[in-house]
Amino acid sequence: MFDNKSFDSKYNPFDFEQKIYDFWENNDVFKVEINKEKKKFVIPMPPPNVTGVLHMGHALQDSIQDLYIRYKKMKGYNVFWIPGKDHAGIATQNVVEKMLKKEGVTKEKLGREKFLEKVWEVVDKHKNHIEKQKRYLGDSCDWSKEKFTLDTDMSKAVIHAFVELYNRGYIFKGKYIVNWCPRCGTALSDEEVESKEEKSNLWYIKYPIVGENDYIIVATTRPETMLGDTAVAVNPADERYKKYIGKKALLPLVNRQIPIIQDGYVDPSFGTGAVKITPAHDPNDYEVAKRHDLPLVYVIDSKGFMTNDLPSHFANLERYQCREKVVMQLKEEGLLIKVEEYTHAVGYCSRCDTAIEPMLSDQWFVKLKELSLEARKYVENGTIKIHPSRWEKIYFDWIDNLKDWCISRQLWWGHRIPVYYCDECNEIIVSEENVEKCPKCKSSKIHQDEDVLDTWFSSWLWPFSTLGWPNKTDMLDYYYPTDLLVSGYDILFFWVIKMIIAGSTFLNKPPFYDIYLTPLIRDKFGRKMSKSLGNGIDPLDIVKQYGADALRFTLIYLSTDGQDINLDPLKFEMGRNFANKLWNAFRFAYPYIEQVEISEDEMKTNNLTNDFDLYDKWIFSKLNQLLKQLDHYYDNYKIQFIAQYIYNFIWHDFCDWYIESCKPFLFGSDIKLKTRKSKMLKYLIISILKIIHPLMPFISEKLYQSISSNNGKILANEKYPEYDEKSIDEKIMEDFSFIENLITNIRTIKAELNLHTNKDLTFFVKTDDENERSLIIQEIMIIKSLSQISHIDFIEKEPSAKFSTSVVKNSSIFLIIEGLVDIEKEIERLKKEISKINDIKEKLETKVKSKDFIGKAKPEIIERTKKELLEYKAKIEKLEDKLRIIEK
RNA sequence: GGGUGAUUAGCUCAGAUGGUCAGAGCACAUGCUUCACAUGCAUGGGGUCACUGGUUCAAAUCCAGUAUCACCCACCA
């Protein structure tokens, strides 16, 4: 299936990416199996909405998760990336309701059972959609292990969790003012409400005092709710209103007499200091009403319309229309004193963007606060680490301010609440099994609670329900706790915290040890990506345009600790160009590496080092240094550095310097040298493919499969290279940097004197440093080749002819330019360089002259600074000497 | 009202414990169709590290304050 000849062609990821994925699957590369001999590494995949489509956030999170899964697998771990999907209660129900609406049907018309059939139909159709998309990204999941939050076993876990919490006293039913979405027709948790700043008004309304020619003025942001007022409240300490307390106000428009009461909740400095109390439609007012035993008057129904028992001109109006009408009529009656512009926060349903209506209703709650103590400790004592760590503070803030969690939803799509009511004796039965008979009165007139559970009530169990909990399975035993959770920080509160609470509550263990919170992806202007703005970038479009490897690499490269990613699609060019670079490096090396074999033994660093020259030793040092750094960055979740360091190594160290240094040998006639360089190339290419594989799995596997001696071996199953501290040789790297500087200096002189193309130049070197001299002699062929000159000769004295010059460490290089270029140009160039170095020199000088510095800085810093100063001084001296000579 | 983050080259952003940290990519300029790559190679220009104080021998980095921006949380009607 792999055409080796394709290396005559350009990098074209579309030719092979999906073939490679099939290749992995056909070879069971992703297969998950318990193996107690091996250490495990588990990531529970945040389950995407079953009817959803892949967005950039998924692409980023999956790239990171796959990065770790593939890396750990190559490091010898038995990995499990638990795949799954979420039934997403409200979201999915909304999708289906919208579809039905197009057909002119409502869910009420269909009835619960038929409606659910319809939802399942839609879900089944969508079911594999996201999974397919994730295959394009290269996600290394065992898809046969996929779970769905409404699967039978998952449902059992949910029901079990509910019953257990109920029995332990952490679940209760109660009448409270909850966030109600009139469009979705259900209660929501606090987290599902998004508050938005909104410009509105503060209306000041006169409420006449009964039996007196006086009135009290209240201020409100929601005039329509006045129809449901049952009191006016003032602060007990407010002198202005003392005289009204105990009296009654006549509620305008409906002419109801309501008491004027005092309550500490009222802030005298806000508005008029007098508050209308609408207990049925405001959480604070409700609390006030409870304290004062006030009646509740409902005026808004569950659809957001006014109730029909109101005066006819208000009855059945939509709430905002009613507001206008109320304001109008108040104006007509002269009761509206003033209207003030006022900005305040209004809650919106995060699913459908409808304004939330606080509603009094019967709902089920979880006492989260009491359950969260252990969860707090996990992070406190480092059992769970959050990366980046600043989120830990935010985690504590949240956990310390948890409120009761409203878990009942007035929906049909979801896990039905396992609570049964006896119609005869009103007994409440909470049971994991279906209840047919009342255990108390034996009646069979039983009905189950109509509501379903919040989606998050199933997903908070995800890290263990997917492993078989509440059964004691081998999976659970082996894989739990999982190791890493990768998620956008936006659901830290919805989900991550709740999972930790669930883990501690049901299993007495954390659900995972590390949490990596990814940045959010925004458009290039920093705006959220959304359908309505049309500024979303579809990851699959990027895959089609640049390839999955480019997408993955770029996203990881951009995933920094600091902030959200403002994504310009052009950035993917970087990943694509890099993949192209790798492809072409391979293309170059291919014929050579095909001609040599390297044994397993030789593959071990130590055994390749025998005949190494400077470049070999240097690239080896760099490779091992890279491996060491990568391990560190993987361990510390500094993933942008993983991409960055690999990029620099492959592009600059390997391609720009090592491969270029090999060319004279590869093109030369010395078979022995050619063979050694070929072996080196083979070794390095194979190492590079392994290193890059977790980031760019497709191209690396494709190239790996193209090496004929790898027949049968699959890169995804290979072992990751381990670094060897002994191979990191500082002296070698210093020597190399001398040669590198020498070459760069020659190139610079050539470029600045417009001699780019002139290859027939002789450079002279004057040095009294023996090490540098011998390095030059040793590497002369490569120096000439990389700097494109014809000769290098040593001299004892500065040349007598006019020259261009540069200082490299302890050596000086010269190019005779008399007759070649304008001398003035060289003088200018030299002066510029001298002044540059002089600036640095002066800085160092003042430092070294400072008594404080000498007295207080660490000795090694002083020493280093002094040494630097000497170097710069010497360099300047040399350059100035030369300047004098030329200027003569 | 509380909190978090940001402010570094024309643009987008890195800068781990204060001293080789002033960087990358893109853009720009010059020269290269050199035998892997023009999705490329070589060379270069470009920054008072938001501002003001402070700590320190030494600050982009630590502290305090100011300004601007972004996000999160919060029942003041």
PDB file of all heavy atoms in Angstrom, chain B residues 58-68:
ATOM      1  P     A B  58      21.122  47.802  42.259  1.00  0.00           P
ATOM      2  OP1   A B  58      20.925  49.144  41.695  1.00  0.00           O
ATOM      3  OP2   A B  58      20.262  47.321  43.355  1.00  0.00           O
ATOM      4  O5'   A B  58      21.072  46.738  41.065  1.00  0.00           O
ATOM      5  C5'   A B  58      21.689  47.072  39.817  1.00  0.00           C
ATOM      6  C4'   A B  58      21.529  45.931  38.855  1.00  0.00           C
ATOM      7  O4'   A B  58      22.145  44.750  39.415  1.00  0.00           O
ATOM      8  C3'   A B  58      20.089  45.506  38.601  1.00  0.00           C
ATOM      9  O3'   A B  58      19.505  46.326  37.609  1.00  0.00           O
ATOM     10  C2'   A B  58      20.254  44.074  38.133  1.00  0.00           C
ATOM     11  O2'   A B  58      20.634  44.011  36.781  1.00  0.00           O
ATOM     12  C1'   A B  58      21.420  43.601  39.003  1.00  0.00           C
ATOM     13  N9    A B  58      20.986  42.877  40.193  1.00  0.00           N
ATOM     14  C8    A B  58      20.856  43.352  41.460  1.00  0.00           C
ATOM     15  N7    A B  58      20.460  42.450  42.332  1.00  0.00           N
ATOM     16  C5    A B  58      20.325  41.308  41.569  1.00  0.00           C
ATOM     17  C6    A B  58      19.938  39.980  41.888  1.00  0.00           C
ATOM     18  N6    A B  58      19.605  39.591  43.124  1.00  0.00           N
ATOM     19  N1    A B  58      19.897  39.083  40.895  1.00  0.00           N
ATOM     20  C2    A B  58      20.228  39.466  39.661  1.00  0.00           C
ATOM     21  N3    A B  58      20.614  40.671  39.233  1.00  0.00           N
ATOM     22  C4    A B  58      20.644  41.544  40.246  1.00  0.00           C
ATOM     23  P     A B  59      17.990  46.725  37.688  1.00  0.00           P
ATOM     24  OP1   A B  59      17.890  48.181  37.579  1.00  0.00           O
ATOM     25  OP2   A B  59      17.392  46.082  38.879  1.00  0.00           O
ATOM     26  O5'   A B  59      17.432  46.082  36.343  1.00  0.00           O
ATOM     27  C5'   A B  59      17.522  44.711  36.070  1.00  0.00           C
ATOM     28  C4'   A B  59      16.222  44.227  35.484  1.00  0.00           C
ATOM     29  O4'   A B  59      15.571  43.390  36.479  1.00  0.00           O
ATOM     30  C3'   A B  59      15.216  45.308  35.138  1.00  0.00           C
ATOM     31  O3'   A B  59      14.394  44.879  34.059  1.00  0.00           O
ATOM     32  C2'   A B  59      14.375  45.414  36.390  1.00  0.00           C
ATOM     33  O2'   A B  59      13.069  45.851  36.125  1.00  0.00           O
ATOM     34  C1'   A B  59      14.342  43.964  36.858  1.00  0.00           C
ATOM     35  N9    A B  59      14.184  43.804  38.308  1.00  0.00           N
ATOM     36  C8    A B  59      14.309  44.726  39.304  1.00  0.00           C
ATOM     37  N7    A B  59      14.096  44.261  40.503  1.00  0.00           N
ATOM     38  C5    A B  59      13.803  42.929  40.292  1.00  0.00           C
ATOM     39  C6    A B  59      13.479  41.869  41.157  1.00  0.00           C
ATOM     40  N6    A B  59      13.397  42.015  42.473  1.00  0.00           N
ATOM     41  N1    A B  59      13.243  40.663  40.625  1.00  0.00           N
ATOM     42  C2    A B  59      13.323  40.527  39.302  1.00  0.00           C
ATOM     43  N3    A B  59      13.628  41.440  38.360  1.00  0.00           N
ATOM     44  C4    A B  59      13.852  42.636  38.943  1.00  0.00           C
ATOM     45  P     A B  60      14.816  45.050  32.586  1.00  0.00           P
ATOM     46  OP1   A B  60      15.883  44.087  32.289  1.00  0.00           O
ATOM     47  OP2   A B  60      15.050  46.483  32.316  1.00  0.00           O
ATOM     48  O5'   A B  60      13.516  44.627  31.775  1.00  0.00           O
ATOM     49  C5'   A B  60      12.359  45.453  31.825  1.00  0.00           C
ATOM     50  C4'   A B  60      11.122  44.639  31.554  1.00  0.00           C
ATOM     51  O4'   A B  60      11.353  43.784  30.410  1.00  0.00           O
ATOM     52  C3'   A B  60      10.732  43.702  32.692  1.00  0.00           C
ATOM     53  O3'   A B  60       9.869  44.332  33.601  1.00  0.00           O
ATOM     54  C2'   A B  60       9.999  42.593  31.952  1.00  0.00           C
ATOM     55  O2'   A B  60       8.663  42.957  31.678  1.00  0.00           O
ATOM     56  C1'   A B  60      10.780  42.520  30.634  1.00  0.00           C
ATOM     57  N9    A B  60      11.844  41.524  30.664  1.00  0.00           N
ATOM     58  C8    A B  60      13.195  41.743  30.648  1.00  0.00           C
ATOM     59  N7    A B  60      13.906  40.638  30.683  1.00  0.00           N
ATOM     60  C5    A B  60      12.960  39.625  30.710  1.00  0.00           C
ATOM     61  C6    A B  60      13.058  38.230  30.755  1.00  0.00           C
ATOM     62  N6    A B  60      14.211  37.584  30.757  1.00  0.00           N
ATOM     63  N1    A B  60      11.915  37.515  30.779  1.00  0.00           N
ATOM     64  C2    A B  60      10.751  38.170  30.775  1.00  0.00           C
ATOM     65  N3    A B  60      10.521  39.491  30.731  1.00  0.00           N
ATOM     66  C4    A B  60      11.672  40.159  30.695  1.00  0.00           C
ATOM     67  P     U B  61       9.971  44.021  35.158  1.00  0.00           P
ATOM     68  OP1   U B  61       8.740  44.545  35.763  1.00  0.00           O
ATOM     69  OP2   U B  61      11.292  44.465  35.622  1.00  0.00           O
ATOM     70  O5'   U B  61       9.946  42.432  35.243  1.00  0.00           O
ATOM     71  C5'   U B  61       8.715  41.710  35.113  1.00  0.00           C
ATOM     72  C4'   U B  61       9.010  40.232  35.140  1.00  0.00           C
ATOM     73  O4'   U B  61      10.155  39.989  34.282  1.00  0.00           O
ATOM     74  C3'   U B  61       9.366  39.689  36.524  1.00  0.00           C
ATOM     75  O3'   U B  61       8.614  38.525  36.798  1.00  0.00           O
ATOM     76  C2'   U B  61      10.853  39.386  36.449  1.00  0.00           C
ATOM     77  O2'   U B  61      11.206  38.230  37.161  1.00  0.00           O
ATOM     78  C1'   U B  61      11.071  39.151  34.960  1.00  0.00           C
ATOM     79  N1    U B  61      12.421  39.487  34.510  1.00  0.00           N
ATOM     80  C2    U B  61      13.265  38.440  34.201  1.00  0.00           C
ATOM     81  O2    U B  61      12.932  37.266  34.282  1.00  0.00           O
ATOM     82  N3    U B  61      14.522  38.811  33.797  1.00  0.00           N
ATOM     83  C4    U B  61      14.999  40.082  33.668  1.00  0.00           C
ATOM     84  O4    U B  61      16.150  40.257  33.282  1.00  0.00           O
ATOM     85  C5    U B  61      14.074  41.119  34.006  1.00  0.00           C
ATOM     86  C6    U B  61      12.836  40.798  34.409  1.00  0.00           C
ATOM     87  P     C B  62       7.261  38.679  37.629  1.00  0.00           P
ATOM     88  OP1   C B  62       6.656  37.343  37.678  1.00  0.00           O
ATOM     89  OP2   C B  62       6.503  39.834  37.132  1.00  0.00           O
ATOM     90  O5'   C B  62       7.826  39.052  39.074  1.00  0.00           O
ATOM     91  C5'   C B  62       8.141  38.034  40.011  1.00  0.00           C
ATOM     92  C4'   C B  62       8.454  38.656  41.348  1.00  0.00           C
ATOM     93  O4'   C B  62       9.743  39.327  41.269  1.00  0.00           O
ATOM     94  C3'   C B  62       7.505  39.765  41.772  1.00  0.00           C
ATOM     95  O3'   C B  62       6.347  39.241  42.382  1.00  0.00           O
ATOM     96  C2'   C B  62       8.360  40.558  42.748  1.00  0.00           C
ATOM     97  O2'   C B  62       8.439  39.931  43.999  1.00  0.00           O
ATOM     98  C1'   C B  62       9.717  40.493  42.062  1.00  0.00           C
ATOM     99  N1    C B  62       9.998  41.649  41.194  1.00  0.00           N
ATOM    100  C2    C B  62      10.218  42.908  41.780  1.00  0.00           C
ATOM    101  O2    C B  62      10.165  43.002  43.010  1.00  0.00           O
ATOM    102  N3    C B  62      10.471  43.971  40.985  1.00  0.00           N
ATOM    103  C4    C B  62      10.513  43.828  39.664  1.00  0.00           C
ATOM    104  N4    C B  62      10.777  44.904  38.925  1.00  0.00           N
ATOM    105  C5    C B  62      10.291  42.568  39.041  1.00  0.00           C
ATOM    106  C6    C B  62      10.040  41.510  39.824  1.00  0.00           C
ATOM    107  P     C B  63       4.968  40.004  42.239  1.00  0.00           P
ATOM    108  OP1   C B  63       3.921  39.073  42.721  1.00  0.00           O
ATOM    109  OP2   C B  63       4.882  40.563  40.868  1.00  0.00           O
ATOM    110  O5'   C B  63       5.114  41.208  43.259  1.00  0.00           O
ATOM    111  C5'   C B  63       5.300  40.967  44.645  1.00  0.00           C
ATOM    112  C4'   C B  63       5.402  42.276  45.376  1.00  0.00           C
ATOM    113  O4'   C B  63       6.639  42.941  44.996  1.00  0.00           O
ATOM    114  C3'   C B  63       4.325  43.290  45.014  1.00  0.00           C
ATOM    115  O3'   C B  63       3.140  43.069  45.743  1.00  0.00           O
ATOM    116  C2'   C B  63       5.001  44.605  45.380  1.00  0.00           C
ATOM    117  O2'   C B  63       4.957  44.859  46.766  1.00  0.00           O
ATOM    118  C1'   C B  63       6.437  44.340  44.952  1.00  0.00           C
ATOM    119  N1    C B  63       6.734  44.813  43.585  1.00  0.00           N
ATOM    120  C2    C B  63       6.959  46.184  43.396  1.00  0.00           C
ATOM    121  O2    C B  63       6.894  46.940  44.365  1.00  0.00           O
ATOM    122  N3    C B  63       7.236  46.637  42.148  1.00  0.00           N
ATOM    123  C4    C B  63       7.296  45.779  41.120  1.00  0.00           C
ATOM    124  N4    C B  63       7.578  46.278  39.921  1.00  0.00           N
ATOM    125  C5    C B  63       7.064  44.384  41.289  1.00  0.00           C
ATOM    126  C6    C B  63       6.786  43.945  42.527  1.00  0.00           C
ATOM    127  P     A B  64       1.758  43.496  45.092  1.00  0.00           P
ATOM    128  OP1   A B  64       0.688  42.959  45.970  1.00  0.00           O
ATOM    129  OP2   A B  64       1.751  43.189  43.645  1.00  0.00           O
ATOM    130  O5'   A B  64       1.811  45.082  45.259  1.00  0.00           O
ATOM    131  C5'   A B  64       1.756  45.673  46.545  1.00  0.00           C
ATOM    132  C4'   A B  64       1.833  47.172  46.413  1.00  0.00           C
ATOM    133  O4'   A B  64       3.125  47.533  45.847  1.00  0.00           O
ATOM    134  C3'   A B  64       0.838  47.788  45.437  1.00  0.00           C
ATOM    135  O3'   A B  64      -0.441  47.963  46.006  1.00  0.00           O
ATOM    136  C2'   A B  64       1.521  49.116  45.104  1.00  0.00           C
ATOM    137  O2'   A B  64       1.351  50.057  46.146  1.00  0.00           O
ATOM    138  C1'   A B  64       2.977  48.684  45.041  1.00  0.00           C
ATOM    139  N9    A B  64       3.398  48.357  43.672  1.00  0.00           N
ATOM    140  C8    A B  64       3.514  47.111  43.090  1.00  0.00           C
ATOM    141  N7    A B  64       3.912  47.144  41.830  1.00  0.00           N
ATOM    142  C5    A B  64       4.063  48.505  41.571  1.00  0.00           C
ATOM    143  C6    A B  64       4.459  49.212  40.414  1.00  0.00           C
ATOM    144  N6    A B  64       4.794  48.626  39.272  1.00  0.00           N
ATOM    145  N1    A B  64       4.500  50.567  40.493  1.00  0.00           N
ATOM    146  C2    A B  64       4.166  51.148  41.647  1.00  0.00           C
ATOM    147  N3    A B  64       3.780  50.594  42.801  1.00  0.00           N
ATOM    148  C4    A B  64       3.745  49.258  42.695  1.00  0.00           C
ATOM    149  P     G B  65      -1.713  47.899  45.069  1.00  0.00           P
ATOM    150  OP1   G B  65      -2.892  47.982  45.971  1.00  0.00           O
ATOM    151  OP2   G B  65      -1.576  46.773  44.128  1.00  0.00           O
ATOM    152  O5'   G B  65      -1.596  49.255  44.241  1.00  0.00           O
ATOM    153  C5'   G B  65      -1.861  50.502  44.874  1.00  0.00           C
ATOM    154  C4'   G B  65      -1.411  51.632  44.000  1.00  0.00           C
ATOM    155  O4'   G B  65      -0.042  51.399  43.583  1.00  0.00           O
ATOM    156  C3'   G B  65      -2.141  51.798  42.671  1.00  0.00           C
ATOM    157  O3'   G B  65      -3.397  52.423  42.816  1.00  0.00           O
ATOM    158  C2'   G B  65      -1.148  52.651  41.885  1.00  0.00           C
ATOM    159  O2'   G B  65      -1.184  53.999  42.296  1.00  0.00           O
ATOM    160  C1'   G B  65       0.175  52.015  42.317  1.00  0.00           C
ATOM    161  N9    G B  65       0.610  51.002  41.346  1.00  0.00           N
ATOM    162  C8    G B  65       0.601  49.625  41.473  1.00  0.00           C
ATOM    163  N7    G B  65       1.044  49.012  40.411  1.00  0.00           N
ATOM    164  C5    G B  65       1.359  50.040  39.520  1.00  0.00           C
ATOM    165  C6    G B  65       1.881  49.991  38.198  1.00  0.00           C
ATOM    166  O6    G B  65       2.183  49.002  37.517  1.00  0.00           O
ATOM    167  N1    G B  65       2.045  51.259  37.668  1.00  0.00           N
ATOM    168  C2    G B  65       1.752  52.428  38.321  1.00  0.00           C
ATOM    169  N2    G B  65       1.975  53.557  37.647  1.00  0.00           N
ATOM    170  N3    G B  65       1.261  52.492  39.559  1.00  0.00           N
ATOM    171  C4    G B  65       1.100  51.265  40.086  1.00  0.00           C
ATOM    172  P     U B  66      -4.516  52.165  41.740  1.00  0.00           P
ATOM    173  OP1   U B  66      -5.741  52.834  42.201  1.00  0.00           O
ATOM    174  OP2   U B  66      -4.526  50.717  41.440  1.00  0.00           O
ATOM    175  O5'   U B  66      -3.976  52.946  40.464  1.00  0.00           O
ATOM    176  C5'   U B  66      -3.880  54.367  40.467  1.00  0.00           C
ATOM    177  C4'   U B  66      -3.393  54.864  39.139  1.00  0.00           C
ATOM    178  O4'   U B  66      -2.043  54.356  38.891  1.00  0.00           O
ATOM    179  C3'   U B  66      -4.176  54.373  37.929  1.00  0.00           C
ATOM    180  O3'   U B  66      -5.367  55.100  37.729  1.00  0.00           O
ATOM    181  C2'   U B  66      -3.166  54.577  36.802  1.00  0.00           C
ATOM    182  O2'   U B  66      -3.046  55.934  36.437  1.00  0.00           O
ATOM    183  C1'   U B  66      -1.868  54.134  37.498  1.00  0.00           C
ATOM    184  N1    U B  66      -1.595  52.699  37.280  1.00  0.00           N
ATOM    185  C2    U B  66      -1.022  52.331  36.068  1.00  0.00           C
ATOM    186  O2    U B  66      -0.741  53.141  35.212  1.00  0.00           O
ATOM    187  N3    U B  66      -0.799  50.997  35.912  1.00  0.00           N
ATOM    188  C4    U B  66      -1.080  49.995  36.820  1.00  0.00           C
ATOM    189  O4    U B  66      -0.818  48.834  36.541  1.00  0.00           O
ATOM    190  C5    U B  66      -1.681  50.441  38.041  1.00  0.00           C
ATOM    191  C6    U B  66      -1.903  51.746  38.229  1.00  0.00           C
ATOM    192  P     A B  67      -6.620  54.330  37.095  1.00  0.00           P
ATOM    193  OP1   A B  67      -7.786  55.223  37.258  1.00  0.00           O
ATOM    194  OP2   A B  67      -6.673  52.951  37.621  1.00  0.00           O
ATOM    195  O5'   A B  67      -6.231  54.267  35.552  1.00  0.00           O
ATOM    196  C5'   A B  67      -5.968  55.463  34.830  1.00  0.00           C
ATOM    197  C4'   A B  67      -5.387  55.118  33.485  1.00  0.00           C
ATOM    198  O4'   A B  67      -4.101  54.475  33.658  1.00  0.00           O
ATOM    199  C3'   A B  67      -6.189  54.115  32.672  1.00  0.00           C
ATOM    200  O3'   A B  67      -7.282  54.713  32.011  1.00  0.00           O
ATOM    201  C2'   A B  67      -5.135  53.591  31.713  1.00  0.00           C
ATOM    202  O2'   A B  67      -4.890  54.499  30.662  1.00  0.00           O
ATOM    203  C1'   A B  67      -3.909  53.521  32.627  1.00  0.00           C
ATOM    204  N9    A B  67      -3.737  52.195  33.233  1.00  0.00           N
ATOM    205  C8    A B  67      -4.065  51.781  34.502  1.00  0.00           C
ATOM    206  N7    A B  67      -3.783  50.521  34.740  1.00  0.00           N
ATOM    207  C5    A B  67      -3.233  50.075  33.545  1.00  0.00           C
ATOM    208  C6    A B  67      -2.725  48.828  33.150  1.00  0.00           C
ATOM    209  N6    A B  67      -2.691  47.753  33.945  1.00  0.00           N
ATOM    210  N1    A B  67      -2.260  48.721  31.891  1.00  0.00           N
ATOM    211  C2    A B  67      -2.287  49.781  31.089  1.00  0.00           C
ATOM    212  N3    A B  67      -2.728  51.018  31.349  1.00  0.00           N
ATOM    213  C4    A B  67      -3.195  51.095  32.606  1.00  0.00           C
ATOM    214  P     U B  68      -8.662  53.914  31.896  1.00  0.00           P
ATOM    215  OP1   U B  68      -9.700  54.894  31.518  1.00  0.00           O
ATOM    216  OP2   U B  68      -8.837  53.091  33.118  1.00  0.00           O
ATOM    217  O5'   U B  68      -8.395  52.956  30.665  1.00  0.00           O
ATOM    218  C5'   U B  68      -8.190  53.496  29.365  1.00  0.00           C
ATOM    219  C4'   U B  68      -7.576  52.452  28.470  1.00  0.00           C
ATOM    220  O4'   U B  68      -6.313  52.006  29.036  1.00  0.00           O
ATOM    221  C3'   U B  68      -8.366  51.160  28.334  1.00  0.00           C
ATOM    222  O3'   U B  68      -9.449  51.272  27.429  1.00  0.00           O
ATOM    223  C2'   U B  68      -7.286  50.202  27.842  1.00  0.00           C
ATOM    224  O2'   U B  68      -6.977  50.427  26.489  1.00  0.00           O
ATOM    225  C1'   U B  68      -6.102  50.641  28.710  1.00  0.00           C
ATOM    226  N1    U B  68      -6.016  49.844  29.954  1.00  0.00           N
ATOM    227  C2    U B  68      -5.439  48.583  29.871  1.00  0.00           C
ATOM    228  O2    U B  68      -5.011  48.124  28.826  1.00  0.00           O
ATOM    229  N3    U B  68      -5.386  47.885  31.050  1.00  0.00           N
ATOM    230  C4    U B  68      -5.842  48.306  32.279  1.00  0.00           C
ATOM    231  O4    U B  68      -5.727  47.560  33.248  1.00  0.00           O
ATOM    232  C5    U B  68      -6.432  49.620  32.283  1.00  0.00           C
ATOM    233  C6    U B  68      -6.491  50.326  31.151  1.00  0.00           C
TER     234        U B  68
END
